[in-house]
Amino acid sequence: MFGYLKRISTERSSWLLLFVSAICLELTALYFQYGLKLNPCVMCVYERVALFGVAFAGIIGFIAPQFFIFRLLALAVGLWGAIKGLLFSIKHVGYQLHPNPWDQCPMFVQFPETLPLDKWFPALFHPTGLCSEINWTFMSSTMPQWLVFIFGFYTVVLGLILLSQLKKSAVKNRDIFR
């Protein structure tokens, strides 16, 4: 299995698939926001940033997947985005399922002063909703619950691909027993 994962990690189509899947999820989020009029909360914005990290990893890996350093950098960025997204979405599920007056999400996003995404791209990163509201469900799961599954899947797959990088390439030896 690790040999297969290492082999597909050296192909551009794998990284393109990662990028396209993350962008499709971002476009879905924008459809929910602008098409269905569901206001994003602070945790939704953080989850979007994490998903952009996964998409950016797809771009890095697509540039030169045959080079180990590009694969390693792409895997580091992708795992960072997937793990952060998983942690944010788990916390978001907690806000929705166990709302407490003493444990609520902040009213405003807290980006670094050098990277104020909510000021630069307010259409994507300006929160207007509440984290504890449940406005949408599919198959009796809320949006953050689906994101736990999605980010968990990204984390497992990218983690396995990272482990596969430790596998040595198979040496093409000729039949020495002939």
Side-chain angles (χ1 to χ4, degrees), residues 34-136:
Y34 292 107
L36 299 179
K37 306 293 185 210
L38 300 177
N39 295 326
C41 66
V42 171
M43 296 308 290
C44 297
V45 169
Y46 291 154
E47 291 156 356
R48 284 183 186 182
V49 172
L51 199 53
F52 273 118
V54 173
F56 188 60
I59 292 171
I60 295 169
F62 183 79
I63 292 172
Q66 66 275 16
F67 295 114
F68 178 73
I69 192 71
F70 276 89
R71 286 194 315 270
L72 196 61
L73 181 61
L75 287 167
V77 170
L79 270 172
W80 174 86
I83 291 169
K84 289 298 278 188
L86 180 61
L87 295 174
F88 286 139
S89 55
I90 288 171
K91 192 169 188 175
H92 195 172
V93 168
Y95 287 144
Q96 286 188 338
L97 299 182
H98 310 291
N100 296 316
W102 57 86
D103 184 27
Q104 296 181 357
C105 68
M107 294 296 292
F108 304 102
V109 290
Q110 298 167 353
F111 289 124
E113 288 183 23
T114 56
L115 193 67
L117 295 175
D118 56 327
K119 307 280 189 288
W120 293 348
F121 306 105
L124 290 173
F125 301 115
H126 181 71
T128 55
L130 299 174
C131 294
S132 59
E133 286 183 348
I134 299 175
N135 296 325
W136 179 88

Side-chain angles (χ1 to χ4, degrees), residues 152-170:
F153 180 77
Y154 278 141
T155 301
V156 167
V157 169
L158 292 170
L160 288 173
I161 291 173
L162 179 63
L163 287 175
S164 76
Q165 302 306 303
L166 301 175
K167 181 173 175 45
K168 291 185 180 185
S169 298

Side-chain angles (χ1 to χ4, degrees), residues 17-35:
L17 178 63
L18 180 68
F19 172 75
V20 168
S21 69
I23 291 300
C24 285
L25 289 169
E26 291 287 359
L27 292 173
T28 302
L30 290 175
Y31 170 73
F32 282 122
Q33 180 178 352
Y34 292 107

Side-chain angles (χ1 to χ4, degrees), residues 129-147:
L130 299 174
C131 294
S132 59
E133 286 183 348
I134 299 175
N135 296 325
W136 179 88
T137 60
F138 178 68
M139 294 174 41
S140 70
S141 293
T142 65
M143 198 174 304
Q145 289 171 327
W146 280 105
L147 286 174

